[in-house]
Amino acid sequence: MSPKPSANFDAVTPVILSSPFSILANNSAIPDFGRIAYPYRKAIYIEEIRWTLYATPATSQVAATQLGSQVLTKLQFGNKYLMRDPVPIWLLGTTMDLKQEETQDVTVNLRTSYSHYRWRLPEPLYLEAGEVLGSWFTRGPELATVFPIGTINGYVEYVGRTVSPQTPRPKTIPVPYAAPFVTTLGRVYQQSNEEHLFNPFGVDLRVQRFNGRLLQTSADSAQTASRRLGLTVPPSAPTSGMGLLMNDSWGGKMVNNLTGPGDIFDCLRAGWLVDTVMPPKGVYEIRAWNMPVDQQLHVAMVGVREERA
Amino acid sequence: MPIRLPYGPNPLDPRQPRPAWVDPRTAKTKIPMYYEPPPASPIHLSGSVVIASGANATVPASALKNPMGQDMEILEIKFELSLPAFVLSAYNASFAGATIACELTMGSLKLTNGSIPVFLFGRAENLSAESKYDRATETVYAAFTWRLPRPLFVPAGAAVVPNFTHTGMTPDAINVRIGYSARTIFVKPRRIYVPWVAKYSSKSFNPISAADTDASIELDLVNPNPETLYLQRFVGRTVSVNPSYVGKTEGPVAFSSQYLSARITDSYGRPIVRDFTPFYGIFSPLTRSWEMDNGAVLDPESYYLVNLRKDAMTMSAFYASAYAQAFISMVGWRELEAS
């Protein structure tokens, strides 16, 4: 079949832009910007960002691992950033199927782990013609000794659609924003500060949800590093008595009694849908009590604010 | 006063402005709502057939017609496959979704571009439900569902007729049940929305051979209709088969996440997936799909072209006789004037 001349050549088409990257522990990586730029002079909407991560640890004692807990990312276009500080990839979207976040393929190699994550943006992100959403990845040294994974390879994929030229250029655009709070291993009590879950902008931030995960770093009976999404306070907790308190900038209670992360961040989706508005310069504070030495709490606030195009 | 429904536009059509609803508990005169005919009534129709390997079969159309002789709208189509003997292990029953393909027609209207493997219609909403094993009866089950992008109007007396094909990927007969979740309606719509599904199945790759490639042709992911196709989603799935072992699996991880990649262009060369991207990067493994019910369209009489690239893969010799295959479908809808 030979196509007829398109009746609407400027019609909206779906698009995926992707680039590979590799990252060592205590290092950073930047994907190929040429591959994640839309090649034609057309504006696009990015609706979803996906990450495919895989690694072959040096030792077979590291089982299927949530690689998204190890790799942090930061996204920026022009002078507008989606994260001020790098955020662990597994904190950006809710989980839809934990199995897909920690898989191994025994047909290939008993040690290769695969993790898939996706972040459905709170609002589609408008990129002007020629504009590129830059990605940057980093891995800290802290977890590298606990998880001897070596190089993590991956792909970042932007999923979206083109914008018809007939569509007027918006005057303001919603820009997603994510802010993390990750505890330090080995400390019994920790508290977030005003540079963690905060709104750095001069405009309201519509907070879509909090995402929370718990990383367990100790070896279990099978000598594999396991990860737990969330544990509740005693007596139901198998190994942890961790409890969280949360309040806002004015001391307003968000979590009034010590509550386990598995209750706050729904164990099924690793998220807490809040859909609220945070005023400019607002802060949410988390206090984590009774932290086991082998568990690390990861929390992110995901929202969206309006920026002038 | 009985509560009157504003006949004219279909009051159930989500595109029509909804009339103000009066809560009967607050009405001054309490009159039961059943004094007026209900605007719609749910109905579920289903039929089943056992299909031998390599055979074709259909479900009697009489089982899939509205028995009340009324118009109806189909909202969802469900497929349930079962193998009454323990021939597939519990964790890979969803493989059967590649084995049974279905062609759907309603009168002269085709809903599919030939036979489509039943796991390519909808997004995977619950992967664990796609592969169930009943130990008591030693039966494996695979369930798939397809929520139609828009309700499909089926006139009184008509039926959406499925024609199933067993592609022979397993020698076992498979019991297929198809179900329509629908509603009887009493007001004819002015426009009808006809779903359209087209698919591309790759050749069988030998996973441990050297690098390999494959490409779809213009007749695979095509919109042959004179109307614009509004896209709902792409579905992408992979299967692997190891004849020397009960190793029929859906979604082999390494193959789909690392070694198989794809790029997609449309009829005019516009990039849909610009660079070779891992298969599971395009079709999220969480749902096996790329949802795009976002205004994206495919022009009339145009198509997408998929290029697949399989990199050389290191596997144990145990899997030397295995092969793997990729499937991609395009699901959307077109709009027709009701005659």
Side-chain angles (χ1 to χ4, degrees):
Chain A
M1 175 183 290
S2 60
K4 291 180 177 179
S6 173
N8 44 353
F9 190 81
D10 291 325
V12 174
T13 62
V15 66
I16 286 185
L17 306 166
S18 71
S19 175
F21 64 91
S22 295
I23 184 166
L24 283 163
N26 205 12
N27 222 316
S28 61
I30 298 175
D32 182 351
F33 276 30
R35 290 183 55 153
I36 51 178
Y38 190 70
Y40 298 150
R41 297 288 296 175
K42 256 187 182 182
I44 61 170
Y45 275 113
I46 295 178
E47 298 170 323
E48 186 175 316
I49 301 174
R50 297 182 192 148
W51 297 270
T52 304
L53 305 175
Y54 55 95
T56 305
T59 167
S60 61
Q61 292 191 348
V62 179
T65 299
Q66 286 271 13
L67 296 170
S69 64
Q70 320 282 311
V71 182
L72 293 78
T73 188
K74 190 173 169 182
L75 296 152
Q76 183 166 357
F77 64 103
N79 61 355
K80 301 177 184 65
Y81 51 80
L82 277 64
M83 300 93 171
R84 198 195 77 133
D85 302 306
V87 179
I89 284 173
W90 73 340
L91 282 183
L92 289 167
T94 56
T95 179
M96 293 183 72
D97 190 332
L98 281 170
K99 277 197 305 187
Q100 302 300 323
E101 296 180 354
E102 42 183 49
T103 57
Q104 283 182 307
D105 194 328
V106 295
T107 61
V108 180
N109 187 321
L110 282 172
R111 298 197 301 269
T112 304
S113 289
Y114 296 88
S115 297
H116 304 92
Y117 303 94
R118 69 175 206 170
W119 181 23
R120 191 86 183 164
L121 300 182
E123 299 275 352
L125 176 62
Y126 179 87
L127 291 181
E128 304 258 13
E131 206 164 31
V132 185
L133 178 63
S135 272
W136 172 74
F137 299 94
T138 184
R139 276 177 73 190
E142 185 180 35
L143 293 175
T145 52
V146 183
F147 296 92
I149 293 174
T151 302
I152 295 179
N153 302 297
Y155 268 81
V156 58
E157 295 111 4
Y158 299 159
V159 183
R161 60 184 163 97
T162 61
V163 180
S164 170
Q166 282 81 39
T167 304
R169 182 172 174 270
K171 290 180 180 160
T172 61
I173 54 172
V175 181
Y177 175 68
F181 169 55
V182 178
T183 60
T184 305
L185 278 170
R187 297 194 184 159
V188 176
Y189 170 81
Q190 285 188 68
Q191 179 174 343
S192 68
N193 63 32
E194 62 277 8
E195 292 197 342
H196 287 126
L197 307 179
F198 78 119
N199 174 8
F201 309 106
V203 295
D204 286 346
L205 178 74
R206 187 167 68 76
V207 181
Q208 183 191 28
R209 62 169 179 264
F210 294 106
N211 291 325
R213 307 263 199 156
L214 201 57
L215 185 74
Q216 178 152 325
T217 58
S218 67
D220 61 17
S221 56
Q223 292 299 303
T224 58
S226 64
R227 303 130 309 278
R228 303 255 168 92
L229 178 60
L231 304 168
T232 53
V233 291
S236 57
T239 61
S240 172
M242 183 191 302
L244 305 182
L245 298 175
M246 290 179 71
N247 54 261
D248 65 18
S249 313
W250 296 271
K253 301 296 185 192
M254 295 163 65
V255 178
N256 192 28
N257 296 309
L258 283 174
T259 309
D263 288 342
I264 298 173
F265 311 106
D266 169 15
C267 273
L268 301 175
R269 307 187 69 226
W272 172 16
L273 188 69
V274 290
D275 199 14
T276 187
V277 174
M278 189 186 216
K281 313 300 181 190
V283 178
Y284 293 131
E285 182 191 62
I286 294 184
R287 282 170 282 162
W289 300 77
N290 201 15
M291 299 270 302
V293 293
D294 60 348
Q295 288 178 7
Q296 191 177 43
L297 178 69
H298 292 221
V299 178
M301 174 182 74
V302 176
V304 64
R305 85 279 185 179
E306 289 283 332
E307 290 261 11
R308 282 198 303 179
Chain B
M1 282 288 292
I3 298 166
R4 298 200 63 82
L5 293 165
Y7 286 118
N10 181 354
L12 294 177
D13 187 337
R15 299 168 299 278
Q16 301 293 344
R18 290 207 167 246
W21 186 73
V22 178
D23 187 338
R25 292 169 301 184
T26 63
K28 287 181 181 172
T29 307
K30 292 188 178 177
I31 295 178
M33 291 186 75
Y34 52 77
Y35 276 28
E36 286 286 318
S41 168
I43 185 168
H44 186 83
L45 305 165
S46 70
S48 68
V49 63
V50 179
I51 312 175
S53 182
N56 281 59
T58 188
V59 174
S62 58
L64 302 173
K65 284 181 183 173
N66 188 341
M68 295 189 290
Q70 300 274 9
D71 299 336
M72 65 175 181
E73 282 181 332
I74 296 177
L75 307 175
E76 188 171 352
I77 298 178
K78 300 163 182 170
F79 301 96
E80 184 188 274
L81 315 177
S82 58
L83 285 82
F86 181 54
V87 289
L88 297 176
S89 53
Y91 53 84
N92 60 19
S94 55
F95 167 85
T99 309
I100 297 296
C102 178
E103 182 177 17
L104 293 168
T105 54
M106 183 173 67
S108 60
L109 281 178
K110 286 182 180 297
L111 276 57
T112 59
N113 188 23
S115 290
I116 310 290
V118 297
F119 70 179
L120 287 183
F121 285 97
R123 72 174 203 163
E125 300 197 346
N126 188 341
L127 289 169
S128 63
E130 292 186 357
S131 182
K132 288 290 184 190
Y133 173 50
D134 185 336
R135 192 170 295 279
T137 58
E138 293 198 333
T139 302
V140 292
Y141 295 89
F144 305 96
T145 185
W146 177 29
R147 289 171 207 267
L148 300 187
R150 295 284 187 278
L152 171 62
F153 174 71
V154 182
V160 175
V161 179
N163 185 19
F164 292 103
T165 303
H166 189 309
T167 57
M169 297 173 83
T170 174
D172 311 287
I174 295 180
N175 190 345
V176 180
R177 175 169 287 277
I178 185 169
Y180 298 155
S181 294
R183 61 188 177 199
T184 300
I185 58 171
F186 302 96
V187 181
K188 290 187 190 300
R190 284 177 295 184
R191 306 186 71 78
I192 64 172
Y193 303 96
V194 182
W196 176 253
V197 186
K199 70 105 173 46
Y200 155 60
S201 343
S202 77
K203 68 181 182 185
S204 295
F205 293 103
N206 182 341
I208 63 167
S209 71
D212 202 351
T213 60
D214 192 34
S216 70
I217 62 170
E218 295 85 341
L219 300 177
D220 289 332
L221 299 173
V222 62
N223 173 21
N225 306 301
E227 298 87 19
T228 296
L229 184 74
Y230 295 86
L231 297 170
Q232 185 189 20
R233 67 171 64 93
F234 280 128
V235 180
R237 301 235 191 190
T238 55
V239 297
S240 78
V241 174
N242 188 346
S244 63
Y245 173 63
V246 186
K248 303 180 176 72
T249 57
E250 191 269 325
V253 177
F255 180 71
S256 314
S257 304
Q258 184 179 356
Y259 294 97
L260 182 70
S261 52
R263 68 184 296 269
I264 304 176
T265 56
D266 70 4
S267 312
Y268 310 98
R270 290 178 292 197
I272 305 302
V273 178
R274 185 189 142 161
D275 297 292
F276 278 104
T277 302
F279 194 83
Y280 268 177
I282 302 170
F283 311 104
S284 170
L286 306 171
T287 58
R288 309 286 200 243
S289 70
W290 172 8
E291 300 295 320
M292 57 178 74
D293 199 0
N294 55 12
V297 299
L298 181 59
D299 285 328
E301 302 182 22
S302 61
Y303 50 82
Y304 290 125
L305 287 178
V306 178
N307 289 281
L308 291 178
R309 186 186 75 195
K310 204 273 306 179
D311 297 331
M313 196 169 166
T314 52
M315 296 175 73
S316 71
F318 186 66
Y319 295 91
S321 60
Y323 66 85
Q325 193 174 4
F327 298 84
I328 297 172
S329 73
M330 172 183 77
V331 183
W333 52 276
R334 59 195 170 109
E335 193 173 350
L336 299 176
E337 290 281 350
S339 57

